[in-house]
Amino acid sequence: MHEHAFIVASRMVRSTSDWFEWARRMLLFFGSALILAGVIYFFAYNWSKMGHFLKFALIEAGIVACILGSHFRGISRPSGKILLLSSSVLVGVLLAVYGQTYQTGADAFELFMGWAVLILGWVIISEFSPLWLIWLILLNIGVTLYWKQVGNPAYSIRHEFLSLALAFLNGIALAFYEIGLQQGLKWLGKRWLRSILLTGSLIALTLPTLGLIVVPGEAKGITMFVALAWGMTATGGYLYYRYELRDMIPLAIIISNACIILLTLLGKGLFHGIRGSEAGLFLLFSLIILAVVSMAVFLLRSIAAKMAGEVGKHGT
């Protein structure tokens, strides 16, 4: 039995070469991020002292250098992918400098949407999950800013529609991620992508659902629909990741999200339905939080044990 446990543990421990490869890639990524941050702060600090020609020449030279570097290094190598990501970030810097220099009057959402459109080709050919995630973040920001600058002021679009749009966008990305993994797209094989996309979809639906609990008198039909969408998303995600993929991380995210909804509901009932001293109510609510979190931990441990048993039976 001890020998079998040793064999299983040795398979889980990464080799020294794997750790060196991981460290090399992390240093490459963080070094590139620091260089890009330095470029952005360089323009911010020296903005008033630089002429128009110098501003555009430096940024465009950086974009061309990154593209050429990515081409010669090879798009399939990590360094080539990082250089292509750097050129994508510099495109945003170029658009920002152009807007500040010529005062085009464009709204901020047009900057982010245009940025996403311009780098779409690089996102497709790079097959690089961090660049794909940055592209999705740009779309999320663009949609949010459109609602803030146009949708709400001009058309009185309620924030629930924004939540549905963001949840749909991130949900489509999550579906693409899962289908891509099943089709053998190795560049999508990063578990943290699944967690980020699932969290983005749940958060977008959670906020209106919390508003429905806290301020039920202001709820509209669309708010009820968003709450229903949250319930369907959480339930569907739980069933899929519990019985189909057997992945504990998404299950932990879903259960934690459900705990937030449950605690908000219990807190609303406690503070508005029971009369008493605030200190006593806060103490009671603290105990409720401990109980709910403990139940969630117990549930996750039970699910993990059952999943381990299912995997063992399947393996044998």
Side-chain angles (χ1 to χ4, degrees):
M1 180 177 179
H2 294 290
E3 183 178 355
H4 176 71
F6 174 78
I7 294 174
V8 173
S10 62
R11 291 176 180 175
M12 297 178 65
V13 176
R14 294 181 179 271
S15 63
T16 304
S17 60
D18 291 335
W19 282 111
F20 275 114
E21 179 66 16
W22 176 83
R24 186 179 68 84
R25 293 191 177 189
M26 286 298 101
L27 290 175
L28 176 63
F29 177 78
F30 285 119
S32 302
L34 290 174
I35 291 175
L36 289 173
V39 170
I40 295 173
Y41 281 105
F42 171 80
F43 280 95
Y45 184 78
N46 298 284
W47 180 262
S48 59
K49 301 178 182 178
M50 299 172 62
H52 297 344
F53 177 80
L54 181 60
K55 294 174 184 176
F56 290 111
L58 287 176
I59 301 175
E60 292 170 3
I63 294 174
V64 173
C66 289
I67 295 174
L68 292 177
S70 177
H71 173 71
F72 288 112
R73 290 293 294 175
I75 195 64
S76 60
R77 303 181 64 177
S79 56
K81 296 180 184 296
I82 290 292
L83 286 169
L84 197 57
L85 185 149
S86 301
S87 63
S88 300
V89 174
L90 289 177
V91 168
V93 177
L94 177 62
L95 292 176
V97 171
Y98 183 86
Q100 288 291 328
T101 301
Y102 294 105
Q103 297 296 324
T104 59
D107 292 323
F109 80 90
E110 296 177 315
L111 166 65
F112 287 95
M113 289 299 189
W115 187 358
V117 171
L118 289 175
I119 67 172
L120 177 59
W122 294 343
V123 173
I124 295 174
I125 66 174
S126 68
E127 296 185 349
F128 192 37
S129 51
L131 180 54
W132 183 55
L133 179 61
I134 290 176
W135 183 75
L136 285 173
I137 292 174
L138 293 178
L139 289 182
N140 276 265
I141 296 175
V143 171
T144 304
L145 290 177
Y146 173 81
W147 173 81
K148 183 178 180 180
Q149 297 174 343
V150 179
N152 188 34
Y155 303 104
S156 299
I157 298 177
R158 291 181 59 88
H159 65 88
E160 290 88 350
F161 288 99
L162 171 64
S163 299
L164 287 174
L166 294 177
F168 179 78
L169 175 62
N170 294 315
I172 289 295
L174 180 59
F176 171 79
Y177 170 84
E178 300 295 354
I179 295 173
L181 284 184
Q182 294 178 5
Q183 297 298 321
L185 298 181
K186 296 182 179 179
W187 63 275
L188 286 174
K190 309 294 182 183
R191 295 181 65 186
W192 54 265
L193 263 180
R194 175 183 292 154
S195 302
I196 292 176
L197 295 175
L198 178 61
T199 302
S201 298
L202 287 175
I203 289 178
L205 298 174
T206 298
L207 296 178
T209 305
L210 294 177
L212 177 64
I213 297 173
V214 176
V215 191
E218 298 182 3
K220 304 291 183 180
I222 184 62
T223 311
M224 300 291 294
F225 180 78
V226 173
L228 178 62
W230 173 85
M232 295 176 61
T233 301
T235 303
Y238 177 85
L239 295 175
Y240 182 73
Y241 293 114
R242 168 64 180 88
Y243 297 103
E244 185 68 22
L245 293 186
R246 294 185 175 89
D247 192 345
M248 279 301 300
I249 296 179
L251 292 177
I253 293 173
I254 293 171
I255 292 176
S256 300
N257 184 251
C259 287
I260 294 175
I261 299 293
L262 177 60
L263 287 172
T264 304
L265 184 61
L266 294 175
K268 176 64 182 301
L270 177 65
F271 288 100
H272 291 269
I274 300 177
R275 294 184 178 180
S277 64
E278 291 187 359
L281 292 178
F282 275 108
L283 176 60
L284 179 58
F285 189 60
S286 300
L287 296 176
I288 293 175
I289 293 175
L290 291 175
V292 171
V293 173
S294 299
M295 290 176 59
V297 172
F298 177 79
L299 178 61
L300 288 172
R301 289 172 61 91
S302 176
I303 293 173
K306 291 180 180 179
M307 288 171 57
E310 293 168 359
V311 172
K313 292 179 180 179
H314 181 73
T316 55

